[in-house]
Amino acid sequence: MTQMQDQKWPIPESVHEIEHYMKQRAGLGVSFDIGIRKLKILKKDVHIYYVNGLCDTLYIIQLIEELVEINDHEKLSTDLFKVIENRLLNQSVEQTKMLDTVVDQVLSGLIAVVMEGERTAFIIDVRSYPGRSPQEPDTEKVVRGARDGFVENIVLNTALTRRRIRDGRLRFEMLKVGKRSKTDVALGYLADVADADLLNILRKELQAIDVDGIPMGDKTLEEFIVKQGWNPFPIVRYTERADVAAAHILEGHVVIFCDTSPSVIITPATFFHHVQHAEEFREAPAAGTFVRWTRFLGVLTSIFLLPLWMLFVLEPSMLPEKLSFIGPNEQTNIPVVVQLILADFGIEFLRMAAIHTPTPLSTAMGLIAAVLIGQIAIDVGLFVPEVILYVAVAGIGTFTTPSYELGVANKISRMVLLIVTAAFHLPGFVIGGTLLFLFLVHMRALNTPYFWPFLPFEPKGFLQIVFRRAIPGSYLRPSIVHPRNRFRQPPKG
């Protein structure tokens, strides 16, 4: 079950029975962070349940002060329930008659107020989760643009999005996933734009998740939703930028927010969604188009440069005489394909090491690896200089790919294509590249063609991919998301 567990236990009138239930179900008295504050209000017991570290302590103190003052201003014959309800100085107060709901909400960071003789509890939202403040994501930096990015708090993330879309039709539909973790997951969409079929698919997939918890957050959700298997190519897009998420919601996409995750999932997403970057839309259309073409060139280089150079090494007759310098000018005892694979893995080693190395040391480590290790490897005859050059260029092409997941998939494709080319020469390169293309063409991301708008070909969408059009000229939303309202702005004339 993904929703809150079936409500089976109504709240009893005795606060001592409630306390016993909290000890059995929530670990009250055993877990140090789960607390209870017992008060005597108008000669009746009132208990407040909370979790240290997830609640705003100052508000709890203020609430206790308000409740204690009831003894000084109210008569014993007063309806305690109504008085307390009016003294709860908070904008988010709900009532529940079920103990299971009390436990779930308290463990989520809310506080519960129960009273002797009442079968209803007050649930007050005073959550104050530990976390960092919004800052620019490291993997999606821009020269110009907003510097606020998503954090691990779903409330802050939805607030950053609503700040950009102040429309009453913007919906954040909340679900709970995980029988034990009960993680908050929200579907963000425009009610009059988003595809109803896509929403139904996502709701069905999320509600069907039957797992104890999702500590890995959005990545676990992705694996349950798209069932990717061993396919390395990303089927959904991730972003940590609030402006990117808001732009996709306005286009008609559905965005999945997951508590504890600083990134959101954008659905549906095609191959070309993964090669777009916010920087393109912060420049003039001509400059943005130049940046986009440069990025496309980098993506193609990351996939095909090494296999193509390997082909020229194996078949030097394919090169014109004026380009004969492209092949290796030195002989070595190690096959070129082995050199390429070793150097490619070396780049990957450096990337992993940089992630796990403190920032001041990672710069020095990169210089040492680039200058010393590379030069020494050439001097001892392990690599020829051309191998270092082309592997470095292919690595730079990988880093120009905006989507980290697509960059890794391209790297795997490059490695496979390189091995096939080394084994079968020109037929291997041609057949391997064709199979890769056909594989991408036949992929579908949540019933969406992965290579749209190239295949199936859609002229207007294709032009928007090739050229960064000015926003005033973009009248229609992308047809691939099946928007219920296609017009972003009324067409002129």
Side-chain angles (χ1 to χ4, degrees):
M1 293 175 58
T2 58
Q3 300 291 343
M4 191 177 299
Q5 292 183 351
D6 293 338
Q7 316 299 333
K8 298 179 181 179
W9 301 102
I11 295 176
E13 293 185 356
S14 172
V15 293
H16 301 293
E17 292 183 26
I18 298 174
E19 182 180 358
H20 177 73
Y21 184 87
M22 293 295 291
K23 290 180 179 179
Q24 296 294 321
R25 174 79 186 276
L28 178 66
V30 177
S31 297
F32 77 93
D33 57 337
I34 300 177
I36 178 175
R37 180 67 167 91
K38 300 179 180 180
L39 302 175
K40 204 76 169 180
I41 309 297
L42 301 182
K43 295 187 177 182
K44 289 186 177 181
D45 290 321
V46 176
H47 291 181
I48 303 173
Y49 294 96
Y50 58 90
V51 174
N52 284 306
L54 299 182
C55 301
D56 186 343
T57 303
L58 293 178
Y59 178 80
I60 296 178
I61 294 175
Q62 181 182 0
L63 172 63
I64 293 174
E65 291 177 349
E66 290 288 336
L67 295 182
V68 170
E69 287 181 359
I70 295 176
N71 291 323
D72 301 327
H73 301 92
E74 302 291 343
K75 300 178 180 180
L76 292 177
S77 59
T78 305
D79 186 344
L80 181 61
F81 183 86
K82 293 294 184 182
V83 173
I84 290 182
E85 183 178 20
N86 292 328
R87 293 296 184 101
L88 298 179
L89 304 179
N90 191 281
Q91 78 278 9
S92 179
V93 179
E94 296 181 357
Q95 298 180 13
T96 181
K97 294 181 178 294
M98 298 297 169
L99 279 175
D100 300 284
T101 303
V102 171
V103 173
D104 292 340
Q105 299 288 30
V106 168
L107 295 179
S108 297
L110 293 80
I111 63 174
V113 180
V114 297
M115 292 147 283
E116 181 183 346
E118 296 290 344
R119 293 184 176 273
T120 302
F122 291 111
I123 304 296
I124 307 148
D125 191 349
V126 296
R127 283 175 288 192
S128 180
Y129 291 157
R132 57 191 175 94
S133 58
Q135 56 190 7
E136 185 176 19
D138 291 332
T139 57
E140 296 181 86
K141 290 183 179 292
V142 293
V143 177
R144 300 185 186 277
R147 305 298 179 186
D148 56 343
F150 291 133
V151 294
E152 291 76 11
N153 189 329
I154 190 174
V155 177
L156 284 179
N157 293 345
T158 54
L160 289 173
T161 307
R162 190 172 289 279
R163 183 182 179 188
R164 289 167 168 83
I165 307 177
R166 302 177 185 181
D167 186 359
R169 290 159 289 191
L170 175 61
R171 302 286 186 265
F172 291 116
E173 187 176 324
M174 187 70 76
L175 302 169
K176 286 190 180 295
V177 177
K179 290 183 291 187
R180 294 183 185 273
S181 67
K182 297 181 177 63
T183 306
D184 291 325
V185 177
L187 296 175
Y189 60 92
L190 288 174
D192 62 329
V193 175
D195 180 22
D197 292 336
L198 176 61
L199 282 169
N200 291 332
I201 290 174
L202 293 175
R203 288 192 195 102
K204 181 179 178 181
E205 294 294 339
L206 289 173
Q207 292 170 355
I209 297 176
D210 188 7
V211 69
D212 55 354
I214 52 171
M216 293 296 111
D218 48 9
K219 186 59 183 176
T220 305
L221 292 178
E222 177 200 346
E223 293 179 358
F224 275 104
I225 292 173
V226 300
K227 301 173 179 63
Q228 188 169 356
W230 289 95
N231 179 5
F233 285 91
I235 298 179
V236 298
R237 181 185 177 185
Y238 288 94
T239 184
E240 295 184 37
R241 296 189 62 90
D243 51 359
V244 172
H248 281 82
I249 290 176
L250 289 172
E251 286 184 353
H253 294 261
V254 179
V255 176
I256 303 175
F257 296 79
C258 181
D259 196 28
T260 72
S261 294
S263 55
V264 299
I265 299 174
I266 299 174
T267 61
T270 67
F271 178 88
F272 296 101
H273 281 107
H274 294 279
V275 293
Q276 294 182 0
H277 193 274
E279 184 181 7
E280 302 164 10
F281 298 91
R282 294 288 184 175
E283 304 286 350
T289 300
F290 172 76
V291 171
R292 181 174 293 183
W293 287 1
T294 304
R295 184 168 287 111
F296 287 166
L297 179 61
V299 173
L300 292 174
T301 299
S302 69
I303 300 175
F304 294 107
L305 178 63
L306 294 186
L308 186 61
W309 184 71
M310 185 71 223
L311 179 62
F312 291 149
V313 171
L314 296 173
E315 302 285 351
S317 60
M318 297 179 61
L319 282 172
E321 186 176 348
K322 293 183 179 180
L323 296 178
S324 58
F325 65 89
I326 289 180
N329 298 317
E330 300 179 7
Q331 298 297 323
T332 178
N333 295 324
I334 301 178
V336 175
V337 63
V338 176
Q339 295 182 43
L340 290 172
I341 293 175
L342 290 177
D344 214 1
F345 272 108
I347 295 291
E348 191 66 14
F349 291 159
L350 289 176
R351 185 193 66 82
M352 292 180 178
I355 293 175
H356 303 295
T357 304
T359 303
L361 297 178
S362 62
T363 303
M365 182 193 66
L367 293 174
I368 292 173
V371 178
L372 295 182
I373 298 178
Q375 186 60 46
I376 293 173
I378 294 174
D379 292 341
V380 301
L382 181 62
F383 297 143
V384 296
E386 290 87 349
V387 167
I388 298 295
L389 171 64
Y390 293 118
V391 168
V393 174
I396 294 173
T398 300
F399 295 138
T400 63
T401 308
S403 168
Y404 171 76
E405 292 79 13
L406 181 61
V408 174
N410 290 342
K411 192 176 301 182
I412 296 173
S413 302
R414 176 178 73 216
M415 196 75 68
V416 173
L417 193 57
L418 178 63
I419 295 173
V420 172
T421 302
F424 302 104
H425 296 202
L426 179 60
F429 179 81
V430 173
I431 294 174
T434 303
L435 291 177
L436 174 62
F437 176 75
L438 293 176
F439 176 76
L440 293 175
V441 167
H442 282 84
M443 275 183 58
R444 299 186 70 84
L446 293 171
N447 296 328
T448 301
Y450 197 59
F451 238 43
W452 181 92
F454 186 69
L455 286 174
F457 186 70
E458 205 271 312
K460 292 183 179 179
F462 183 74
L463 289 176
Q464 285 196 334
I465 292 296
V466 175
F467 301 100
R468 205 293 264 179
R469 294 190 61 183
I471 300 300
S474 301
Y475 303 116
L476 301 177
R477 293 184 170 90
S479 61
I480 196 64
V481 298
H482 305 292
R484 283 183 274 183
N485 179 0
R486 289 209 62 192
F487 291 96
R488 300 191 63 181
Q489 54 183 316
K492 296 180 180 179

